[in-house]
Coordinates of all heavy atoms in Angstrom, one line a residue:
M15 N -96.2 62.0 36.0 CA -95.4 60.8 35.4 C -96.2 59.7 35.2 O -96.1 59.0 34.3 CB -94.3 60.5 36.5 CG -93.3 59.5 36.0 SD -92.0 59.4 37.1 CE -91.4 57.8 36.6
A16 N -97.2 59.4 36.2 CA -98.1 58.2 36.0 C -98.9 58.4 34.8 O -99.2 57.4 34.1 CB -99.0 58.0 37.3
I17 N -99.4 59.5 34.6 CA -100.3 59.7 33.3 C -99.4 59.5 32.0 O -99.9 58.8 31.1 CB -100.9 61.2 33.3 CG1 -101.9 61.2 34.4 CG2 -101.5 61.4 31.9 CD1 -102.4 62.6 34.6
V18 N -98.2 59.9 32.0 CA -97.3 59.7 30.9 C -97.0 58.2 30.7 O -97.1 57.7 29.6 CB -96.0 60.5 31.0 CG1 -95.0 60.1 29.9 CG2 -96.3 62.0 31.0
Q19 N -96.8 57.5 31.8 CA -96.5 56.1 31.7 C -97.8 55.4 31.2 O -97.7 54.5 30.3 CB -96.2 55.6 33.1 CG -94.8 56.0 33.5 CD -94.4 55.4 34.8 OE1 -95.2 55.1 35.7 NE2 -93.1 55.4 35.1
A20 N -98.9 55.7 31.7 CA -100.2 55.2 31.2 C -100.5 55.4 29.8 O -100.8 54.5 29.0 CB -101.4 55.6 32.1
A21 N -100.3 56.6 29.3 CA -100.4 56.9 27.9 C -99.4 56.1 27.0 O -99.8 55.6 26.0 CB -100.2 58.4 27.7
A22 N -98.2 56.1 27.5 CA -97.2 55.4 26.7 C -97.6 53.8 26.6 O -97.4 53.3 25.6 CB -95.9 55.5 27.3
Y23 N -98.1 53.3 27.7 CA -98.4 51.9 27.7 C -99.5 51.6 26.7 O -99.6 50.7 25.8 CB -98.8 51.4 29.1 CG -99.2 50.0 29.1 CD1 -98.1 49.0 29.4 CD2 -100.6 49.6 28.9 CE1 -98.6 47.7 29.3 CE2 -100.9 48.2 29.0 CZ -99.9 47.2 29.2 OH -100.2 46.0 29.3
I24 N -100.7 52.5 26.8 CA -101.8 52.3 25.9 C -101.3 52.6 24.5 O -101.8 51.8 23.5 CB -102.8 53.3 26.3 CG1 -103.5 52.7 27.7 CG2 -104.0 53.3 25.2 CD1 -104.4 53.8 28.3
A25 N -100.6 53.6 24.2 CA -100.0 53.9 22.8 C -99.3 52.7 22.2 O -99.4 52.5 21.0 CB -99.3 55.2 22.8
N26 N -98.6 52.0 23.1 CA -97.7 50.9 22.5 C -98.4 49.5 22.5 O -97.8 48.6 22.2 CB -96.5 50.8 23.3 CG -95.5 52.0 22.9 OD1 -95.0 52.0 21.7 ND2 -95.2 52.9 23.8
N27 N -99.7 49.6 23.0 CA -100.5 48.4 23.1 C -101.8 48.7 22.5 O -102.9 48.9 23.2 CB -100.6 47.9 24.5 CG -99.3 47.5 25.1 OD1 -98.7 46.4 24.7 ND2 -98.7 48.3 25.8
P28 N -102.0 48.8 21.1 CA -103.2 49.3 20.5 C -104.5 48.4 20.9 O -105.6 49.0 20.9 CB -102.9 49.1 19.0 CG -101.5 49.1 18.9 CD -100.9 48.5 20.2
S29 N -104.3 47.2 21.3 CA -105.5 46.4 21.7 C -105.9 46.7 23.0 O -107.0 46.2 23.5 CB -105.1 44.9 21.5 OG -104.1 44.6 22.5
C30 N -105.2 47.5 23.8 CA -105.5 47.8 25.2 C -106.4 49.0 25.2 O -105.8 50.2 24.8 CB -104.2 48.0 26.1 SG -104.6 48.4 27.8
T31 N -107.5 48.9 25.7 CA -108.4 50.2 25.9 C -108.2 50.9 27.1 O -107.5 50.3 28.0 CB -109.9 49.8 25.8 OG1 -110.2 49.0 27.0 CG2 -110.3 49.1 24.5
I32 N -108.6 52.1 27.3 CA -108.5 52.8 28.5 C -109.2 52.0 29.6 O -108.6 51.9 30.8 CB -109.0 54.2 28.4 CG1 -108.1 55.0 27.4 CG2 -109.1 54.9 29.8 CD1 -108.5 56.5 27.1
E33 N -110.3 51.5 29.3 CA -111.1 50.7 30.3 C -110.3 49.5 30.8 O -110.2 49.2 32.1 CB -112.4 50.2 29.8 CG -113.4 51.4 29.7 CD -113.1 52.3 28.3 OE1 -112.4 51.7 27.5 OE2 -113.7 53.4 28.4
Q34 N -109.6 48.8 29.8 CA -108.8 47.7 30.2 C -107.6 48.0 31.0 O -107.2 47.4 32.0 CB -108.4 46.9 29.0 CG -109.4 46.2 28.2 CD -109.0 45.7 26.9 OE1 -108.2 46.4 26.2 NE2 -109.5 44.5 26.5
Y35 N -107.0 49.1 30.6 CA -105.8 49.7 31.4 C -106.2 50.0 32.8 O -105.6 49.7 33.8 CB -105.2 50.9 30.7 CG -103.9 51.4 31.4 CD1 -102.7 50.7 31.3 CD2 -104.0 52.3 32.5 CE1 -101.6 51.1 32.0 CE2 -102.9 52.7 33.2 CZ -101.7 52.0 33.0 OH -100.6 52.5 33.7
L36 N -107.4 50.7 33.0 CA -107.8 51.1 34.3 C -108.0 49.8 35.2 O -107.7 49.8 36.4 CB -109.0 51.9 34.3 CG -108.8 53.3 33.7 CD1 -110.1 54.1 33.6 CD2 -107.9 54.1 34.7
E37 N -108.6 48.8 34.5 CA -108.8 47.6 35.3 C -107.6 46.9 35.7 O -107.4 46.5 36.9 CB -109.6 46.6 34.4 CG -110.1 45.2 35.1 CD -110.9 44.4 34.2 OE1 -111.6 44.9 33.4 OE2 -110.7 43.2 34.3
L38 N -106.6 46.9 34.8 CA -105.3 46.3 35.1 C -104.6 47.2 36.2 O -104.0 46.7 37.2 CB -104.4 46.3 33.9 CG -103.0 45.7 34.0 CD1 -103.1 44.3 34.5 CD2 -102.3 45.9 32.6
F39 N -104.7 48.5 36.1 CA -104.1 49.4 37.1 C -104.6 49.1 38.4 O -104.0 49.0 39.5 CB -104.3 50.9 36.6 CG -103.8 51.9 37.7 CD1 -102.6 52.3 37.7 CD2 -104.6 52.3 38.7 CE1 -102.0 53.2 38.6 CE2 -104.2 53.2 39.6 CZ -102.9 53.7 39.6
Q40 N -106.0 49.1 38.6 CA -106.6 48.9 39.8 C -106.3 47.5 40.5 O -106.1 47.4 41.7 CB -108.2 49.1 39.7 CG -108.6 50.5 39.4 CD -110.0 50.6 38.9 OE1 -110.7 49.6 38.7 NE2 -110.5 51.8 38.9
K41 N -106.2 46.5 39.6 CA -105.8 45.2 40.1 C -104.4 45.2 40.8 O -104.1 44.8 41.9 CB -105.8 44.2 39.0 CG -105.4 42.8 39.4 CD -105.4 41.9 38.1 CE -104.6 40.6 38.3 NZ -104.5 39.9 37.1
Q42 N -103.4 45.9 39.9 CA -102.0 46.0 40.3 C -102.0 46.9 41.6 O -101.2 46.7 42.5 CB -101.2 46.5 39.3 CG -101.0 45.6 38.1 CD -100.1 44.4 38.5 OE1 -99.2 44.6 39.3 NE2 -100.3 43.2 37.9
H43 N -102.8 48.0 41.5 CA -102.6 49.0 42.6 C -103.0 48.4 43.9 O -102.3 48.6 45.0 CB -103.6 50.1 42.2 CG -103.5 51.3 43.1 ND1 -104.6 51.8 43.8 CD2 -102.4 52.1 43.5 CE1 -104.2 52.8 44.5 NE2 -102.9 53.0 44.4
R44 N -104.1 47.7 44.0 CA -104.5 47.0 45.2 C -103.5 46.1 45.7 O -103.1 46.0 46.9 CB -105.8 46.3 45.1 CG -107.0 47.2 45.0 CD -108.4 46.5 45.1 NE -108.5 45.6 44.0 CZ -109.2 46.0 42.8 NH1 -109.6 47.2 42.7 NH2 -109.3 45.1 41.8
R45 N -102.9 45.3 44.8 CA -101.9 44.2 45.2 C -100.6 45.0 45.7 O -100.1 44.6 46.9 CB -101.5 43.3 44.0 CG -100.6 42.3 44.4 CD -100.1 41.4 43.2 NE -99.5 42.1 42.2 CZ -98.2 42.4 42.2 NH1 -97.5 42.1 43.2 NH2 -97.7 43.1 41.1
L46 N -100.2 45.9 45.1 CA -99.0 46.6 45.4 C -99.2 47.4 46.8 O -98.2 47.5 47.6 CB -98.4 47.5 44.4 CG -97.9 46.8 43.1 CD1 -97.7 47.7 42.0 CD2 -96.7 46.0 43.4
L47 N -100.3 48.0 46.9 CA -100.5 48.7 48.2 C -100.7 47.8 49.4 O -100.3 48.2 50.5 CB -101.8 49.7 48.0 CG -101.5 50.9 47.2 CD1 -102.8 51.6 47.2 CD2 -100.5 51.8 47.8
E48 N -101.2 46.6 49.2 CA -101.3 45.6 50.2 C -99.9 45.3 50.6 O -99.7 45.1 51.8 CB -102.1 44.4 49.7 CG -103.6 44.6 49.7 CD -104.2 44.9 51.0 OE1 -103.7 44.1 52.0 OE2 -104.9 45.8 51.2
E49 N -99.0 45.0 49.7 CA -97.6 44.7 50.1 C -97.0 45.9 50.8 O -96.2 45.7 51.7 CB -96.8 44.3 48.8 CG -97.2 43.1 48.2 CD -96.5 42.8 46.8 OE1 -95.4 43.5 46.6 OE2 -96.9 42.0 46.0
Y50 N -97.2 47.1 50.2 CA -96.6 48.4 50.8 C -97.0 48.7 52.2 O -96.2 49.0 53.1 CB -96.9 49.5 49.9 CG -96.3 50.8 50.3 CD1 -94.8 51.0 50.2 CD2 -97.0 51.8 50.9 CE1 -94.2 52.1 50.7 CE2 -96.4 53.0 51.2 CZ -95.1 53.1 51.0 OH -94.5 54.3 51.6
K51 N -98.3 48.3 52.5 CA -98.8 48.7 53.9 C -98.2 47.8 54.9 O -98.1 48.2 56.1 CB -100.3 48.6 53.9 CG -100.9 47.2 54.1 CD -102.4 47.2 54.2 CE -102.9 45.8 54.5 NZ -104.4 45.8 54.7
N52 N -97.6 46.7 54.6 CA -97.0 45.8 55.6 C -95.6 46.1 55.7 O -94.9 45.6 56.6 CB -97.1 44.4 55.1 CG -98.6 44.0 55.2 OD1 -99.4 44.3 56.0 ND2 -98.9 43.1 54.1
N53 N -95.0 47.1 55.0 CA -93.6 47.6 55.2 C -93.6 48.5 56.2 O -94.1 49.6 56.2 CB -93.2 48.1 53.8 CG -91.8 48.5 53.8 OD1 -91.1 48.5 54.8 ND2 -91.2 48.9 52.7
V54 N -92.9 48.2 57.3 CA -92.7 49.0 58.4 C -91.8 50.1 58.2 O -91.7 51.1 59.0 CB -92.3 48.2 59.7 CG1 -93.4 47.3 60.0 CG2 -91.0 47.5 59.5
Q55 N -90.9 50.2 57.1 CA -90.1 51.1 56.9 C -90.4 52.1 55.8 O -89.7 52.4 54.8 CB -88.7 50.7 56.6 CG -88.1 49.9 57.7 CD -86.8 49.3 57.4 OE1 -86.4 49.0 56.2 NE2 -86.0 48.9 58.4
K56 N -91.6 52.7 55.9 CA -92.1 53.6 55.0 C -91.4 55.0 55.0 O -91.1 55.4 56.0 CB -93.7 53.9 55.1 CG -94.5 52.6 54.9 CD -95.9 53.0 55.2 CE -96.8 51.7 55.0 NZ -98.2 52.0 55.3
L57 N -91.2 55.5 53.9 CA -90.4 56.7 53.7 C -91.3 57.9 54.1 O -90.8 59.0 54.6 CB -89.8 56.9 52.4 CG -88.8 55.9 52.0 CD1 -88.2 56.1 50.6 CD2 -87.6 55.9 53.0
D58 N -92.6 57.8 53.9 CA -93.5 59.0 54.1 C -94.9 58.4 54.3 O -95.1 57.1 54.3 CB -93.5 59.9 53.0 CG -93.8 59.4 51.7 OD1 -94.5 58.4 51.6 OD2 -93.3 59.9 50.6
S59 N -95.9 59.2 54.6 CA -97.2 58.8 54.7 C -98.1 58.7 53.5 O -99.3 58.4 53.5 CB -98.0 59.7 55.8 OG -98.1 61.0 55.3
Y60 N -97.4 59.0 52.2 CA -98.1 59.0 51.0 C -98.6 57.6 50.7 O -97.9 56.6 50.8 CB -97.3 59.5 49.9 CG -98.0 59.8 48.6 CD1 -98.9 60.7 48.4 CD2 -97.6 59.0 47.5 CE1 -99.5 61.0 47.3 CE2 -98.2 59.2 46.3 CZ -99.2 60.1 46.2 OH -99.8 60.4 44.9
Q61 N -99.9 57.5 50.4 CA -100.4 56.1 50.2 C -100.7 55.7 48.7 O -100.8 54.5 48.5 CB -101.9 56.0 50.9 CG -101.8 56.2 52.3 CD -103.1 55.9 53.0 OE1 -104.0 55.4 52.4 NE2 -103.2 56.2 54.3
E62 N -100.5 56.6 47.8 CA -100.5 56.2 46.5 C -99.2 55.9 45.9 O -98.2 56.4 46.5 CB -101.2 57.3 45.6 CG -102.6 57.6 46.1 CD -103.6 56.6 46.0 OE1 -103.6 55.8 45.0 OE2 -104.5 56.4 46.8
T63 N -99.0 55.2 44.7 CA -97.7 54.9 44.3 C -97.6 54.9 42.7 O -98.5 54.4 42.1 CB -97.2 53.6 44.8 OG1 -96.0 53.3 44.1 CG2 -98.2 52.5 44.4
V64 N -96.6 55.5 42.2 CA -96.4 55.5 40.7 C -95.9 54.2 40.3 O -96.0 53.8 39.2 CB -95.4 56.7 40.3 CG1 -95.0 56.6 38.9 CG2 -96.0 58.1 40.6
Y65 N -95.3 53.5 41.3 CA -94.8 52.2 41.0 C -95.8 51.3 40.3 O -95.4 50.5 39.6 CB -94.3 51.5 42.3 CG -93.8 50.2 42.1 CD1 -92.5 50.0 41.5 CD2 -94.5 49.0 42.4 CE1 -92.0 48.7 41.3 CE2 -93.9 47.7 42.2 CZ -92.7 47.6 41.6 OH -92.2 46.4 41.4
T66 N -97.1 51.4 40.6 CA -98.1 50.6 40.0 C -98.1 50.7 38.5 O -98.1 49.7 37.9 CB -99.5 51.1 40.6 OG1 -99.5 51.0 42.0 CG2 -100.7 50.1 40.0
T67 N -98.1 51.9 38.0 CA -98.0 52.1 36.5 C -96.7 51.6 35.9 O -96.7 51.1 34.9 CB -98.3 53.5 36.1 OG1 -97.3 54.5 36.7 CG2 -99.7 54.1 36.5
W68 N -95.6 51.9 36.6 CA -94.3 51.5 36.2 C -94.3 49.9 36.1 O -93.9 49.3 35.2 CB -93.2 51.9 37.0 CG -91.9 51.6 36.6 CD1 -91.1 52.3 35.7 CD2 -91.2 50.4 36.8 NE1 -89.9 51.6 35.5 CE2 -89.9 50.4 36.2 CE3 -91.4 49.3 37.6 CZ2 -89.0 49.3 36.2 CZ3 -90.5 48.2 37.7 CH2 -89.2 48.4 37.0
N69 N -94.8 49.2 37.1 CA -94.9 47.8 37.2 C -95.7 47.3 36.1 O -95.3 46.2 35.5 CB -95.3 47.4 38.5 CG -95.0 45.9 38.7 OD1 -93.9 45.5 38.5 ND2 -96.0 45.0 39.1
I70 N -96.8 47.8 35.8 CA -97.6 47.3 34.6 C -96.9 47.3 33.3 O -96.8 46.4 32.6 CB -98.9 48.1 34.5 CG1 -99.8 47.9 35.7 CG2 -99.6 47.9 33.1 CD1 -101.0 48.9 35.7
S71 N -96.2 48.4 33.1 CA -95.4 48.5 31.9 C -94.2 47.6 31.9 O -93.9 47.0 30.8 CB -94.8 50.0 31.7 OG -95.9 50.9 31.5
F72 N -93.6 47.5 33.0 CA -92.4 46.6 33.1 C -92.9 45.1 32.9 O -92.2 44.4 32.2 CB -91.8 46.7 34.5 CG -90.5 45.8 34.6 CD1 -89.3 46.2 34.0 CD2 -90.6 44.6 35.3 CE1 -88.2 45.4 34.1 CE2 -89.4 43.8 35.3 CZ -88.3 44.2 34.8
E73 N -93.9 44.7 33.5 CA -94.5 43.3 33.3 C -94.7 43.0 31.8 O -94.5 41.9 31.3 CB -95.6 43.0 34.2 CG -95.3 42.9 35.6 CD -96.4 42.6 36.4 OE1 -97.6 42.4 36.0 OE2 -96.2 42.4 37.8
H74 N -95.3 44.1 31.1 CA -95.6 43.9 29.7 C -94.3 43.8 28.9 O -94.1 42.9 28.1 CB -96.5 45.1 29.2 CG -96.8 45.0 27.7 ND1 -97.6 44.0 27.2 CD2 -96.2 45.6 26.7 CE1 -97.8 44.1 25.9 NE2 -96.9 45.1 25.6
L75 N -93.3 44.7 29.3 CA -92.0 44.5 28.6 C -91.4 43.2 28.8 O -90.9 42.6 27.9 CB -91.1 45.7 29.1 CG -89.6 45.7 28.7 CD1 -89.6 46.0 27.1 CD2 -88.8 46.7 29.3
N76 N -91.5 42.7 30.0 CA -90.9 41.4 30.3 C -91.5 40.3 29.5 O -90.9 39.4 29.0 CB -91.1 41.1 31.8 CG -90.1 40.0 32.3 OD1 -89.0 39.8 31.7 ND2 -90.6 39.2 33.2
E77 N -92.8 40.4 29.3 CA -93.6 39.3 28.4 C -93.1 39.5 27.0 O -92.8 38.5 26.3 CB -95.0 39.6 28.5 CG -95.6 39.2 29.8 CD -97.1 39.5 29.9 OE1 -97.8 39.9 28.9 OE2 -97.6 39.5 31.0
E78 N -92.9 40.8 26.5 CA -92.6 41.0 25.0 C -91.1 40.8 24.8 O -90.8 40.4 23.8 CB -92.9 42.4 24.7 CG -94.5 42.6 24.7 CD -95.2 41.8 23.6 OE1 -94.8 41.7 22.5 OE2 -96.3 41.2 24.0
S79 N -90.3 41.3 25.7 CA -88.8 41.3 25.6 C -88.2 41.0 26.9 O -87.6 41.9 27.5 CB -88.2 42.5 24.9 OG -86.9 42.5 24.7
P80 N -88.0 39.7 27.3 CA -87.3 39.4 28.6 C -85.9 40.1 28.6 O -85.4 40.5 29.7 CB -87.2 38.0 28.7 CG -88.4 37.5 27.8 CD -88.5 38.5 26.6
E81 N -85.2 40.2 27.4 CA -83.8 40.7 27.4 C -83.8 42.1 27.8 O -83.0 42.6 28.5 CB -83.3 40.5 26.1 CG -83.0 39.0 25.7 CD -84.3 38.4 25.0 OE1 -85.3 39.2 24.6 OE2 -84.4 37.3 25.0
A82 N -84.8 42.9 27.3 CA -84.9 44.3 27.5 C -85.2 44.6 29.1 O -84.7 45.4 29.7 CB -86.0 45.0 26.7
A83 N -86.2 43.7 29.6 CA -86.5 43.8 31.0 C -85.3 43.5 31.9 O -85.1 44.2 32.9 CB -87.7 42.8 31.3
R84 N -84.5 42.6 31.6 CA -83.3 42.2 32.3 C -82.3 43.5 32.3 O -81.7 43.7 33.3 CB -82.6 41.0 31.9 CG -83.2 39.7 32.3 CD -82.3 38.5 32.1 NE -82.2 38.3 30.6 CZ -82.9 37.5 29.9 NH1 -83.9 36.7 30.6 NH2 -82.7 37.3 28.7
F85 N -82.3 44.1 31.2 CA -81.4 45.3 31.0 C -81.8 46.4 32.1 O -80.9 47.0 32.7 CB -81.5 45.9 29.7 CG -80.7 47.1 29.5 CD1 -79.2 47.0 29.4 CD2 -81.3 48.4 29.4 CE1 -78.5 48.2 29.3 CE2 -80.6 49.5 29.3 CZ -79.2 49.5 29.2
L86 N -83.1 46.4 32.5 CA -83.6 47.5 33.4 C -83.3 47.1 34.9 O -83.3 47.9 35.7 CB -85.0 47.8 33.1 CG -85.4 48.4 31.8 CD1 -86.9 48.6 31.7 CD2 -84.8 49.9 31.8
L87 N -83.1 45.8 35.0 CA -82.9 45.4 36.4 C -81.5 45.6 36.8 O -80.8 46.0 37.5 CB -83.2 43.9 36.6 CG -84.6 43.6 36.5 CD1 -84.8 42.1 36.5 CD2 -85.5 44.1 37.5

């Protein structure tokens, strides 16, 4: 699922290279995992998250079309 989300994001943002996406992903990934590690009610011990790629796409959608982003909330 994460690969599909990443591919869709890059395909819909022609100016975004794979390298730029990876940099964005790593930045978001670190921030989200920092937030997650402080959550005492973890559902499992899995440390990676698909949420990182979803959040990158959602933030871009919110910039491009806040109305569409609100629909997803």
Side-chain angles (χ1 to χ4, degrees):
M15 185 172 165
I17 292 172
V18 172
Q19 288 179 339
Y23 181 88
I24 293 168
N26 286 294
N27 297 284
S29 64
C30 182
T31 66
I32 293 174
E33 291 79 14
Q34 290 169 324
Y35 182 84
L36 287 174
E37 183 178 325
L38 181 59
F39 176 88
Q40 290 168 347
K41 177 182 161 189
Q42 292 287 330
H43 188 234
R44 282 191 296 273
R45 183 181 63 81
L46 292 171
L47 285 180
E48 282 299 313
E49 289 176 21
Y50 181 73
K51 79 176 184 178
N52 295 324
N53 183 353
V54 295
Q55 296 179 338
K56 294 180 183 175
L57 298 175
D58 56 30
S59 62
Y60 188 67
Q61 295 187 13
E62 303 298 323
T63 176
V64 172
Y65 179 75
T66 303
T67 58
W68 183 90
N69 194 52
I70 290 170
S71 296
F72 182 79
E73 286 181 1
H74 180 75
L75 174 66
N76 194 35
E77 290 173 11
E78 296 294 317
S79 177
E81 298 83 19
R84 277 193 296 265
F85 177 75
L86 293 176
L87 294 175

